[in-house]
Amino acid sequence: MGTLASELRPLARDMANAPRVYVDANIPAGAVSVMRRDLRWDVLFVVEDDTLRRASDASHFARAIDLGRTLITLDRDVCDVRRCPPALGPEVIVCVCTDERTLVKMLRHI
């Protein structure tokens, strides 16, 4: 038997009608609004949670795994396989773009 989150993860994934994403603090709030409003994604935005706001990249990675969410970030540090081993999951999307408009355009294609 695992943690409550690990036991509920498959149920949440199967019940979700939309992508379940974990968005770290470096994604602009406007892009998060587009994900929620236009794309209708289930978004956990760390800026809205005082306990997650200042967490490390490794903590965000671990929390996304625990919650069964895809981590979306602009931070290339999560590409460091020693700190965030891809074999553990979750899916990670590292967006590389110059401005929020380009980021939103990229998110619409994901």
Side-chain angles (χ1 to χ4, degrees), residues 4-32:
L4 178 61
S6 69
E7 294 296 318
L8 293 177
R9 184 180 317 127
L11 295 172
R13 184 181 55 242
D14 291 344
M15 293 173 56
N17 292 331
R20 298 178 69 243
V21 297
Y22 183 107
V23 178
D24 75 2
N26 59 22
I27 298 289
V32 172

Side-chain angles (χ1 to χ4, degrees), residues 15-82:
M15 293 173 56
N17 292 331
R20 298 178 69 243
V21 297
Y22 183 107
V23 178
D24 75 2
N26 59 22
I27 298 289
V32 172
S33 293
V34 168
M35 285 184 242
R36 287 178 173 158
R37 184 189 63 237
D38 299 349
L39 302 175
R40 301 212 182 274
W41 292 359
D42 178 351
V43 179
L44 186 155
F45 187 30
V46 301
V47 170
E48 299 167 343
D49 185 317
D50 290 336
T51 61
L52 297 175
R53 182 178 298 192
R54 303 223 186 276
S56 68
D57 294 334
S59 294
H60 288 310
F61 182 79
R63 181 62 58 99
I65 290 171
D66 197 36
L67 298 174
R69 291 178 175 265
T70 299
L71 174 61
I72 298 180
T73 184
L74 295 173
D75 190 350
R76 295 181 196 166
D77 289 346
V78 299
C79 296
D80 181 346
V81 297
R82 294 166 296 175

